[in-house]
Amino acid sequence: MTDPVNTSQQAAVGGLLRAVGDALGGPVPAKWGDAIGAVPRHRFLPERIWLEDGKGGYEPCDLQADSGRWFEAAYADVPIVTQVNDGETPEDPADAWPSSSASAPSIVVRTLRELDVRPGMNVLEIGTGTGWNAALLAHRLGAGRVASVEIDSDVARQAWASLNAAGLDVDVRCGDGAEGWNRRGPYDRIISTCSVRHVPWAWIEQTRSGGIVLTPWDNPMLCWGLLRLTVERDRAQGRFSPHSAFMLMRDQRHDLRIFRDVVRDEHVPAESGTALSPWKVTGDQWDARFALGLRLGDVWTAWEDDEERLWVATTDARSWAAVDRNGGQFTVGQYGPRRLWDEVEAAYRWWEGHGRPAPERFGLTVTGRRQWTWLDHPSRVAGAVRR
């Protein structure tokens, strides 16, 4: 006799695999397709998830109250917010902001494919989240081969319960992922499910020579990109690729707002003009934004009044610039020790002068003392050197 529940789940998994294959431009690799079928995504989601409300915010969706919508979201190729406001449920859903999520399955498969794991390898995951990514790895590698670190105790507890219920042997530790998990190292692979602006040296120290560290990348200008580093004796280096956007590691976050933290009534900006449209360095100009983010390091942007004014500021909140449309030109106001719009213009000219490079032409080198981004070759420094 046919089990309708199992049949429905199989159909949902099949639909998800087709959607992931469409996103990847080809079939899901068999080893990961088998894993997705063996560890169903919905079994790693909390009963309450948060879905986009169509107004730029999020609204709760509960399994008991709306099982159809909940199950449909579980098997759609979309990210799902699983926690808001670091676990503090807001009184008004309009005040909800994502703090933990289940990544879109196509992104999960893309990153696992880049990780290039093989039987017998030991893997450390930074950011357990729902536990589904660790479950896929454990299904592929076997018992005792996967460890995971999660900073949020409630998230870690729920992930461990889901992994245990699935019969998967994954060590889950509640702690700061930036520190890795030295007791279980060295690892053949380290994969982060949260983005970073600075690669923790502990990850490099805990990876075998020849091993790989794979992490989503973020800079204040744009959260976008995947970084794949190969570990050498005293350093690690590798290149970026596009296609990923993950939540930033908690201890690297900045909660900055223009009028609360940056601009003051007593500030008197220096005024000038520019021919560079602010839309060329924002919006859908992904390659430009990525390159400018690497070049400038600590600069972020925000739009005001339905994209009538672009604000540019530093993460230390000491310098800012505002760009307004003025006919076919733009007026600029700049304040602070740095002339930020001048820096943006110079970085944009640099990007254009080097052939408008996409993320794949950029790389990063990490040592115990500093790390720097480069264009085409490690000797061609492209961005701020971070210590």
Side-chain angles (χ1 to χ4, degrees), residues 2 71 84 86 144 163 186 194 209 225 243 317 324 385:
T2 302
F71 193 80
V84 296
D86 288 340
L163 288 160
C194 55
S209 181
H243 307 306
D324 295 274
V385 175

Side-chain angles (χ1 to χ4, degrees), residues 18 30 49 51 202 228 233 271 279 301 329 342 351 387:
R18 287 190 295 274
I49 59 178
L51 303 178
R228 188 179 192 265
R233 185 174 58 84
E271 297 183 355
W279 285 274
T301 61
Q329 297 289 309
D342 295 349
W351 178 68
R387 300 185 184 277

Side-chain angles (χ1 to χ4, degrees), residues 12 20-21 53-54 67 109 145 152 163 166 168 192 261 271 274 338 356 360:
V20 172
D53 62 7
S67 60
V109 174
R145 293 294 180 179
D152 188 295
L163 288 160
L168 295 167
S192 175
D261 305 306
E271 297 183 355
T274 182
R338 293 168 60 180
R356 298 179 167 229
E360 294 91 338

Side-chain angles (χ1 to χ4, degrees), residues 118-129:
R118 301 162 202 167
M121 286 186 171
N122 292 315
V123 177
L124 174 64
E125 176 190 54
I126 307 299
T128 315

